[in-house]
Amino acid sequence: MKFSWKSRKPAFGLAAGTAAAVAATVALVGAGPSEAAPVSLTLNYNCPFPLIGDQVLSVKIDTNLPDNAVAGAASTPITFDVDVTVPETATEGLALVGATSLDGSAKAAAVLKYPVDRTLNLNLPLTIGSTPVPPSGAFHVKSSGKAPAVTFPSPGTASVTVGNFSTTMTPRTADGQPTDLGTFTSDCVAVPGQNQQLGTFEIKPAGGTTTPTTPTTPTTPTTPTTEPTTPTTTPTTPTTEPTTPTTEPTTPTTEPTTPTTEPTTPTTEPTTPTTEPTTPTTEPTTPTTEPTTPTTEPTTPTTEPTTPTTEPTTPTTEPTTPTTPTTEPTTPTTQPTTPTTQPTNPPGGIEVKYSLQGKSVLKQLHATLPLGPGTLDAKLDAASGKFGAQLALPKSDVYFRVLGFIPASATVKLNQVGAITGTLAAGAVKADARIDVQLTKVRVFGFPILSSKSCHTVEPANVPLTSAPGFDPLKGGKLTATYGIPRFTGCGFLTGLITGITSGPGNKLDVTLTKK
């Protein structure tokens, strides 16, 4: 950001003594500050992004601070130039939704402190022009804006401190249309512990500039010059006298002018009549409007003629009347269409595939069930953050001891029931999964005592999956859950035993998703 300070040139006339003094005053007060060397400051900000959560952005601010500010002088608007470095992760998130460019606006907070103990809070509007989004890697978003003009009442030291900023952006596809993210706002907060002062500058007293002007004032000859000017003014007075007679003829001239104005008045009168015809014209217009009403009525008749014309087609016209009701259902049809679109939103248009690996600690068995390698395929709606997912896990063996000393094992198959649904917001996942727990084999001392396709929980286990903040849908992350295992059915004579040693709350699940 550049603070551009332009000097203001004094404007004054070519009169005598008093006018010259006024011009001198204008020159002193109106003179603006000169430009100094550029000032630059780079700060880091935490900025929340849709889906991917908080990202750290580097922001470079450029400006010019004045080195000759004068008390009582209004500054010109100060220009800021901002260069934001968007990190690679944010680029990947934009690429995920098909963004090839973005544009928008921002508001940056700054504090201007100046003598004596005065503070001006600035809310600077910034414009973000259309900026290409690369397929990968970091990129730069540049914007600029101006602060309002400020008049410093007192001399002393002034400072500018940069605050937080808020940006509103619209990512767009290659055809210029907004992506599924739509337009979003990100409120960015400066990372604590940074020096946010952009710079300081001195405001000089207006009297300092007036001092050289004071020696100029003692130019006594200026006073004599004013005296001759007075005689000159005296002849000017007689000249003014003839001017007075001249003004007298001018008065008669004004008199004819008055008559001329009189005809003008009649001219205005005809104009009024002209307006009168206009009024009648308006009257016909009113009738015209009346016919227009009939015209609307004829429109109905027009439908009638249409009916006659369509007398063979009259039956067709009658179906046409139902066509109007058909239009009415069309409206409802549009309404259902909206809900239909809403259900479509949760699956979304963005497909993300993950590999899955993890484990589940079974509290009652005092055993750990390995999970994976499996897959989780998700469809994400970028605008709402809602998603639907399908889980696929292979069978896995769990080893445990019955009554604490008899070695046993079981082959477990976890089957998803219904869709896994959830939300991804600010880098955090919340999802609900319903899992049917099936035991296909049970062994004791290594010998199979059960082989079944019907031994499973009487109802699906509810598994509430969550992630810690910072889940990156572009890379993956960890999901955890605490869930209960319902009682079992279909396990033959072992049903009661299996339920007794397996079912219950407090089971832990911990899986890691890795984007393919």
Side-chain angles (χ1 to χ4, degrees):
M1 305 176 177
K2 292 186 178 179
F3 290 73
S4 176
W5 295 74
K6 298 180 181 178
S7 61
R8 300 175 60 192
K9 296 182 179 180
F12 48 88
L14 300 175
T18 304
V22 172
T25 304
V26 172
L28 292 175
V29 176
S34 61
E35 292 187 355
V39 177
S40 182
L41 178 66
T42 300
L43 297 171
N44 291 327
Y45 287 83
N46 277 322
C47 300
F49 279 77
L51 306 179
I52 60 176
D54 288 351
Q55 301 292 315
V56 177
L57 273 60
S58 176
V59 180
K60 185 173 179 285
I61 307 153
D62 291 307
T63 187
N64 283 349
L65 293 179
D67 63 356
N68 193 24
V70 178
S75 68
T76 54
I78 303 168
T79 301
F80 293 85
D81 290 329
V82 182
D83 187 340
V84 180
T85 301
V86 180
E88 182 177 6
T89 303
T91 306
E92 293 173 351
L94 293 169
L96 179 67
V97 297
T100 60
S101 68
L102 60 82
D103 56 75
S105 62
K107 290 182 180 179
V111 177
L112 174 63
K113 292 186 177 181
Y114 56 96
V116 176
D117 296 329
R118 296 197 179 190
T119 299
L120 179 62
N121 293 315
L122 303 174
N123 195 12
L124 309 173
L126 305 172
T127 300
I128 302 173
S130 181
T131 303
V133 176
S136 61
F139 69 99
H140 294 266
V141 175
K142 297 184 179 182
S143 61
S144 61
K146 288 184 179 181
V150 179
T151 300
F152 302 108
S154 305
T157 301
S159 66
V160 180
T161 303
V162 179
N164 300 328
F165 72 93
S166 176
T167 180
T168 299
M169 292 184 290
T170 303
R172 300 184 185 275
T173 58
D175 60 1
Q177 297 301 311
T179 65
D180 289 343
L181 284 178
T183 297
F184 66 90
T185 297
S186 178
D187 295 322
C188 300
V189 179
V191 174
Q194 302 179 97
N195 178 15
Q196 295 177 229
Q197 188 177 86
L198 186 59
T200 62
F201 60 93
E202 293 299 318
I203 303 170
K204 298 179 181 179
T209 313
T210 308
T211 306
T213 307
T214 307
T216 306
T217 305
T219 307
T220 310
T222 303
T223 307
T225 304
T226 305
E227 291 173 359
T229 303
T230 306
T232 306
T233 306
T234 307
T236 303
T237 307
T239 305
T240 307
E241 292 172 0
T243 304
T244 306
T246 305
T247 306
E248 291 171 359
T250 304
T251 307
T253 306
T254 307
E255 291 171 0
T257 305
T258 307
T260 305
T261 307
E262 291 171 359
T264 304
T265 307
T267 305
T268 308
E269 291 170 358
T271 304
T272 308
T274 305
T275 307
E276 291 171 0
T278 305
T279 306
T281 305
T282 307
E283 292 171 357
T285 304
T286 307
T288 305
T289 307
E290 291 172 6
T292 303
T293 308
T295 303
T296 307
E297 295 170 333
T299 302
T300 308
T302 302
T303 308
E304 293 170 358
T306 304
T307 307
T309 305
T310 317
E311 286 177 6
T313 314
T314 303
T316 308
T317 306
E318 291 174 356
T320 303
T321 307
T323 302
T324 306
T326 304
T327 305
E328 292 174 355
T330 302
T331 306
T333 304
T334 305
Q335 291 172 351
T337 302
T338 306
T340 304
T341 306
Q342 290 172 350
T344 305
N345 283 346
I350 303 172
E351 294 187 2
V352 189
K353 297 181 181 292
Y354 301 94
S355 61
L356 180 151
Q357 192 85 34
K359 63 182 181 179
S360 180
V361 177
L362 306 178
K363 184 178 179 180
Q364 301 300 319
L365 279 181
H366 303 285
T368 299
L369 174 68
L371 299 177
T375 61
L376 186 120
D377 297 342
K379 289 185 178 181
L380 175 66
D381 176 61
S384 64
K386 295 180 180 179
F387 66 86
Q390 293 293 324
L391 173 68
L393 286 170
K395 295 178 181 179
S396 181
D397 290 336
V398 58
Y399 295 89
F400 56 96
R401 291 184 177 272
V402 179
L403 303 177
F405 65 92
I406 301 175
S409 64
T411 300
V412 181
K413 181 73 168 71
L414 301 181
N415 300 308
Q416 175 182 328
V417 178
I420 297 175
T421 59
T423 58
L424 171 60
V429 172
K430 289 184 179 180
D432 293 313
R434 301 179 72 238
I435 304 296
D436 179 64
V437 183
Q438 180 183 8
L439 301 182
T440 59
K441 289 184 179 180
V442 178
R443 308 172 198 84
V444 175
F445 293 111
F447 295 100
I449 59 172
L450 174 69
S451 180
S452 172
K453 295 181 179 179
S454 62
C455 181
H456 67 105
T457 52
V458 294
E459 61 183 0
N462 292 316
V463 183
L465 296 164
T466 60
S467 76
F471 183 92
D472 185 351
L474 307 172
K475 296 179 180 178
K478 184 177 289 188
L479 300 178
T480 60
T482 300
Y483 66 101
I485 298 177
R487 62 186 180 85
F488 281 78
T489 186
C491 307
F493 71 94
L494 293 176
T495 298
L497 175 63
I498 292 173
T499 294
I501 65 175
T502 306
S503 300
N507 305 285
K508 303 289 185 180
L509 181 142
D510 190 333
V511 296
T512 299
L513 303 181
T514 304
K515 186 174 181 297
K516 292 182 178 182

